[in-house]
Amino acid sequence: MRILIIGTTGAIGSKVKEALSAKHEVISAGRSSGDIQVDLTDAASIENMYRSTPGIDAVIVTAGSSGMESFQTLSEKSLLPGIQSKLLGQVNVVLIGQHYLNEGGSFTLTSGILADEPARDAAAARW
């Protein structure tokens, strides 16, 4: 199986890559590292990523940035980077990627620990 993992340098992505590499061909993608570079806030960058990696069976997204901020200081401006990266970035990975994945391919999107275990001053990081 040929698996594209976006975000392999973080806590989750590095473990996913390690686990899957033993039995599958893993291609890593990241903003500034990996086999290929991709900017999740840029649809053209996502499209280029897929064009440069044909024959993908599965895509896993563990990437995306979001601010660590308290509810009292949140603003639209401070939320936008997380929305563009973690939320819309993952949406675009699927919307664009559906045209590139092999027949029967799959997408796995992750949210991280803050979706289950809230942390103080992390209201903006709960995607």
Side-chain angles (χ1 to χ4, degrees), residues 56-111:
I56 298 295
D57 298 299
V59 176
I60 302 170
V61 184
T62 64
S65 59
S66 59
M68 300 291 279
E69 195 170 336
S70 71
F71 182 71
Q72 293 79 15
T73 61
L74 281 178
S75 67
E76 179 180 335
K77 184 178 180 179
S78 66
L79 287 170
L80 280 177
I83 291 170
Q84 291 171 328
S85 172
K86 191 67 174 170
L87 179 61
L88 290 176
Q90 288 195 20
V91 167
N92 281 332
V93 164
V94 174
L95 290 177
I96 296 166
Q98 68 180 318
H99 305 291
Y100 291 91
L101 252 62
N102 288 339
E103 183 73 26
S106 69
F107 294 96
T108 301
L109 308 177
T110 65
S111 61

Side-chain angles (χ1 to χ4, degrees), residues 13-94:
S14 61
K15 296 294 184 187
V16 170
K17 180 181 178 183
E18 181 182 325
L20 294 176
S21 292
K23 294 185 178 182
H24 304 283
E25 178 185 355
V26 172
I27 299 118
S28 61
R31 183 177 37 221
S32 57
S33 64
D35 300 314
I36 54 175
Q37 276 68 62
V38 63
D39 178 355
L40 291 181
T41 67
D42 180 5
S45 179
I46 295 169
E47 183 101 30
N48 288 335
M49 172 191 69
Y50 283 118
R51 285 187 179 151
S52 69
T53 56
I56 298 295
D57 298 299
V59 176
I60 302 170
V61 184
T62 64
S65 59
S66 59
M68 300 291 279
E69 195 170 336
S70 71
F71 182 71
Q72 293 79 15
T73 61
L74 281 178
S75 67
E76 179 180 335
K77 184 178 180 179
S78 66
L79 287 170
L80 280 177
I83 291 170
Q84 291 171 328
S85 172
K86 191 67 174 170
L87 179 61
L88 290 176
Q90 288 195 20
V91 167
N92 281 332
V93 164
V94 174

